[in-house]
Amino acid sequence: MSAEDFGALQAALEQLGGGMASGTWPADAHPGFHVLPRQGLVLGYAWDEPSRTLTLLSLERQGVEAT
């Protein structure tokens, strides 16, 4: 993983955790998955409200479809 991709991953996790903790995460967001289209990454995560902990469950690179 490039440094740029890692930085984007770290920023996304901070954004997710901060939004969940503050209760400001959009209601229409898909809890459990977050996509970073520019990096082609899909994050699977879980939020535990009692401990206020965000856990990264999976990290996958999206495949590029041939046209």
Side-chain angles (χ1 to χ4, degrees):
M1 176 179 290
S2 71
E4 180 181 336
D5 288 354
F6 184 78
L9 170 62
Q10 188 174 25
L13 290 172
E14 288 176 9
Q15 179 185 14
L16 285 168
M20 295 288 189
S22 67
T24 60
W25 194 246
D28 63 344
H30 239 268
F33 293 97
H34 185 75
V35 179
L36 299 173
R38 183 170 176 214
Q39 287 74 26
L41 298 173
V42 179
L43 290 64
Y45 64 89
W47 174 254
D48 181 63
E49 182 58 37
S51 67
R52 302 177 64 80
T53 302
L54 179 72
T55 303
L56 180 63
L57 301 174
S58 64
L59 177 62
E60 298 179 23
R61 189 162 302 270
Q62 290 179 321
V64 178
E65 295 181 19
T67 56

